[in-house]
Amino acid sequence: MGDLDSSSSSTYPKYLEHLSGDGKAIGVLTSGGDAQGMNAAVRAVVRMGIYTGAKVYFIYEGYQGLVDGGSNIVEAKWDCVSSILQVGGTIIGSARCKAFRSREGRLKAACNLARLGITNLCVIGGDGSLTGANLFRKEWSGLLEELARNGDIDNDTLQKYSYLNVVGMVGSIDNDFCGTDMTIGTDSALHRIIEVVDAIMTTAQSHQRTFVLEVMGRHCGYLALVSALACGADWVFLPESPPEEDWEENMCLKLSENRARKKRLNIIIVSEGAIDLQNKPITSEKIKDLVVKNLGFDTRVTILGHVQRGGTPSAFDRILASRMGVEAVIALLEATPETPACVVSLRGNQAVRLPLMECVEMTQDVQKAMDERRFKEAVKLRGRRFEGNLNTYKRLAIKLPDEKIVKSNCNVAVINVGAPAAGMNAAVRSAVRVGIADGHKMFAIYDGFEGFANGQIKEIGWADVGGWTGQGGSILGTKRTLPGKYLEKIAEQMHSHSINALLIIGGFEGYHGAIMLSEARNNHEEFCIPICILPATISNDIPGTDISIGSDTGLNVIVETCDRIKQSASGTKRRVFIIETMGGYCGYLANMGGLAAGADAAYIFEEPFGIGDLQSNVMHLTEKMKTSIQRGLVLRNESCSVNYTTDFIYQLYSEEGKGVFDCRKNVLGHMQQGGAPSPFDRNFGTKISAKAMEWISAKLKGSQGTGKKFVSDDSICVLGICKRDLLFQPVAELKKDTDFEHRIPKVQWWLKLRPIMKILAKYEASYDMSDTGKLEPLQHHGDL
């Protein structure tokens, strides 16, 4: 873990020589509407660029700065981007620019770049900004020839800088860009919306009120749709999917039915661009007037506006932007004159490069479809993720009358196992409602496998799970107890309640417990039923999934705490904080928390370390204290080492740093498990739980009337996200991928991101580029 000397921009590690930025210059600009996480992207571009030996330039005020030149284009140094990870908006400014739309303006911009030798442009913005960048790239050689003819640049400059490379990153809170699952800023905007919804819910319940909440999204309903899913809204209005002709009557009927079921509040979410089937606007005031006139309900309107753009970026956005920024630099340095402009995107859990203009054209096709009232096509063009969200919302929000539901005569039980994880309740709610819609009788098992054995089982209905999505912990109760000694009693309970399928929502104990049930099938035929495991644990340590329900909430707690701690250090200076995170033997929280919070080091079990590494880190921090950034942040996973405890590391740092810096330590503990679930965990839990119930229903339907027993391996599965897709994987196959002693998977995807954290903290690191370098065709992947 050698320190990277940044005194000269030409210093780069030998293992990145094929990616040398020597003699190259990169310009980075932010354009269009601002979005939380843009600063994290700027930081990653600057530091990765300097790391490879390139010069990196800030271009202030977007394309306006590009046209005006002069003091708007300034070389960036390593320290320039310190302390910006947690800052919303963009430190280099953003502005709308009419001048750049004309060839004359682009000619000035080309002159400013060519004189500084900048031939690599990283643009962070929306589809308009990226379209402008692509046009600039296409015109580049013609612009330079004109500049040479006019005598503004010499022939050497013309020859040396003959082509421009462009890579885009999408910064937009609306998530309105086709080709990427999430744009930078979307998750943070959802955090702002859900914070408001959670606050409104408490006051609305006090007074039995109806709230109409207007969120951003002039042309895209993503924020409205996902917010509605995350809070269990009664009704949602989107530009892509207008309501049916008689929506006024249907909505009022739904609201009055909910009141009749003793629901004390109604939430209606409206996208600012919501329209009806005739493309006429549906405003929040119109909805309020309708509810007051038809139902007489006390109704209030809240318009969130620019609150959604503000505030600190979420952990998800910081990690996303950091990954995208590093990938963008690699893409620029690998580009040739023939390489088309690309956009760095997220698909599932993977960073990919896509053809920029194909993505822009598809994004524009969505608007065209809406303008021409081809709404079903517009929803499909948004992608399978958007379409899936919409279908899931409809299934969970609207209950068919009992007489219209075809009964399956099957009983399905839901259980929470392991430590509590935020998002568990959202998953239970989703399972119960989808199960009921599929005609099953749903049963809740209380207090884990122990409660199962003791008969703590009761039927649970549609209304029983109302309002569960935003609640933390586990309402059903959960315990870490494994089923081993209770197998006989559990089998008896399954028999007496005629349980036909089981959904386990929990952590490693849930996964391990399912393996035990699988192995006991020969002795207990009651276990010969479909069993699905949904990974729900902040530790993110279950084989068969890249992400677990609850891990995002845990990460956000760590990052928020680190932000506060760093802020406290800004006054005292020369202070290093050592923070202990949870996670058992899994270093996910420490590593990803370190990446999102801008830590100097993160000690994890998966990467053994010794006294030499600790000493190296102390020296690194000693050097850092000589710069303008006089503070340090070190994360330690709770079980990373038996001997190098948090106290030991604290004492070592205190002793070795004496006279240079002082130390403080902080053990975060169970606050990482508590609190309201993040929007990501609410939605992830909701969606994968619905998917799990669809799988269970399909299994049960296929065996109806046959008396079939489920004995094959594929009838006990873990449902998780793997790279780009949701996959059902048999526990029998996952066993060989599991380190049972340390309760972690043998291979963990996030370790590939570890070098990014080290590089951005100014350490040498070997970056695995096996997943990078390919420009992929634009098509819809995955079914998240």
Side-chain angles (χ1 to χ4, degrees), residues 79-274:
D79 294 358
C80 292
V81 289
S82 291
S83 304
I84 69 169
L85 255 180
Q86 66 270 28
V87 179
T90 163
I91 61 156
I92 55 176
S94 178
R96 310 281 178 191
C97 178
K98 282 185 181 176
F100 193 75
R101 292 177 187 170
S102 66
R103 184 176 168 85
E104 187 188 351
R106 293 192 292 275
L107 193 67
K108 286 181 184 175
C111 183
N112 291 328
L113 289 186
R115 284 176 176 172
L116 290 168
I118 300 170
T119 56
N120 298 283
L121 201 57
C122 179
V123 179
I124 308 163
D127 60 335
S129 307
L130 300 182
T131 304
N134 189 59
L135 176 63
F136 190 41
R137 177 187 155 275
K138 281 184 175 175
E139 291 181 347
W140 178 261
S141 55
L143 292 169
L144 257 58
E145 284 166 11
E146 190 176 331
L147 289 167
R149 282 197 302 275
N150 297 344
D152 294 319
I153 60 170
D154 56 31
N155 279 329
D156 280 352
T157 302
L158 175 64
Q159 299 300 320
K160 193 173 179 184
Y161 307 124
S162 58
Y163 68 94
L164 178 72
N165 298 318
V166 170
V167 171
M169 282 184 270
V170 192
S172 163
I173 67 164
D174 293 341
N175 202 30
D176 55 358
F177 194 80
C178 292
T180 185
D181 286 350
M182 285 285 266
T183 56
I184 294 166
T186 304
D187 188 67
S188 300
L190 285 170
H191 272 257
R192 299 298 91 79
I193 295 167
I194 294 304
E195 284 161 12
V196 171
V197 172
D198 286 352
I200 279 174
M201 277 183 159
T202 53
T203 180
Q205 279 182 328
S206 303
H207 299 278
Q208 287 200 357
R209 280 189 177 139
T210 296
F211 268 87
V212 181
L213 195 75
E214 185 181 301
V215 301
M216 281 184 164
R218 202 173 305 125
H219 305 295
C220 178
Y222 184 87
L223 288 178
L225 175 56
V226 175
S227 303
L229 256 181
C231 71
D234 297 86
W235 205 271
V236 65
F237 291 91
L238 316 169
E240 297 90 343
S241 181
E244 301 297 327
E245 291 286 3
D246 53 352
W247 66 267
E248 294 98 331
E249 189 183 327
N250 287 339
M251 185 185 75
C252 290
L253 181 65
K254 167 87 187 300
L255 296 179
S256 57
E257 279 177 359
N258 282 348
R259 276 293 164 92
R261 290 194 195 111
K262 301 286 188 279
K263 188 175 181 183
R264 293 181 61 84
L265 78 156
N266 301 113
I267 299 276
I268 299 165
I269 294 187
V270 190
S271 183
E272 64 176 325

Side-chain angles (χ1 to χ4, degrees), residues 27 68 91 129 219 231 291 317 390 418 449 471 521 528 545 551 594 604 607 632 638 662 674 677 683 717 729 734 752:
D68 295 344
I91 61 156
S129 307
H219 305 295
C231 71
V291 174
D317 272 330
L390 184 56
F449 285 121
Q471 297 198 44
R521 276 179 162 179
C528 298
T545 190
S551 58
I604 60 172
E607 189 178 279
E638 61 182 349
D662 64 356
N683 288 306
C717 289
Q729 296 180 75
L734 291 172
K752 280 191 175 183

Side-chain angles (χ1 to χ4, degrees), residues 450-472:
E450 203 173 309
F452 203 168
N454 295 331
Q456 292 173 239
I457 306 164
K458 72 172 187 179
E459 191 177 345
I460 188 165
W462 185 280
D464 295 332
V465 290
W468 280 29
T469 44
Q471 297 198 44

Side-chain angles (χ1 to χ4, degrees), residues 580 584-585 603-611 614 636-649:
E580 183 186 297
Y585 286 97
Y603 300 117
I604 60 172
F605 169 77
E606 291 87 349
E607 189 178 279
F609 60 95
I611 198 73
L614 293 169
R636 178 190 176 274
N637 162 254
E638 61 182 349
S639 301
C640 65
S641 169
V642 175
N643 296 312
Y644 298 128
T645 61
T646 303
D647 283 336
F648 177 90
I649 293 171

Side-chain angles (χ1 to χ4, degrees), residues 80 201 393 402 491 495 538 562 589 610 665 669 676 707 709 734 748:
C80 292
M201 277 183 159
Y393 172 77
D402 287 340
H495 181 77
I538 65 163
C562 288
L589 288 176
K665 63 177 175 177
K709 294 290 178 190
L734 291 172
Q748 299 188 82

